[in-house]
Amino acid sequence: QVELVESGGGLVQAGGSLRLSCAASRNILSISAMAWYRQAPGKQRELVASITNGGTTTYVDSVKGRFTISRDTAKNTVYLQMNSLKPEDTAVYYCSAKPWLPSRGYVDYWGQGTQVTVSS
């Protein structure tokens, strides 16, 4: 399995920045995709950003131009740089990994979540 350890959440004022980190227990280049999701109370979990092992990135429209997903393959770590934060960004943010297992196909793994709170 893939263990994911998240850090970097916290409380920040609107307009501020945070950088989330997700350290994986495997070589992230062996994982088909890494992603950040978020879930606010009473809302569905949504995909915020993803990066494939080939380096292709995607973003939900609401964060385009503000958030950047990146990686440090030497550290097996994926980052989410969040700039110009808004109160509506407040949520629990989850790191996910989607490796391809020959015996099982794609399998999803999740971090424990880290709280991001943006005050107005």
Side-chain angles (χ1 to χ4, degrees):
Q1 65 175 12
V2 181
E3 295 184 353
L4 304 170
V5 180
E6 301 167 342
S7 62
L11 175 64
V12 65
Q13 292 184 334
S17 298
L18 286 173
R19 188 179 74 160
L20 306 183
S21 298
C22 174
S25 62
R26 289 176 51 179
N27 181 355
I28 60 174
L29 292 178
S30 71
I31 302 172
S32 296
M34 301 288 294
W36 289 96
Y37 288 75
R38 66 186 180 188
Q39 187 168 25
K43 296 184 178 180
Q44 295 291 313
R45 186 174 297 186
E46 69 171 344
L47 175 64
V48 178
S50 66
I51 183 167
T52 70
N53 58 0
T56 301
T57 59
T58 61
Y59 300 92
V60 67
D61 285 346
S62 61
V63 309
K64 288 180 179 177
R66 300 189 297 120
F67 291 11
T68 303
I69 188 169
S70 62
R71 64 188 180 190
D72 184 335
T73 57
K75 296 181 178 180
N76 291 325
T77 299
V78 175
Y79 304 96
L80 185 67
Q81 179 67 46
M82 304 184 294
N83 298 326
S84 301
L85 283 161
K86 304 175 181 179
E88 52 262 43
D89 295 318
T90 295
V92 177
Y93 283 70
Y94 297 90
C95 180
S96 73
K98 187 185 291 290
W100 170 264
L101 304 180
S103 62
R104 300 174 63 186
Y106 289 109
V107 178
D108 292 317
Y109 294 93
W110 298 90
Q112 80 286 351
T114 185
Q115 178 71 46
V116 172
T117 302
V118 184
S119 63
S120 61

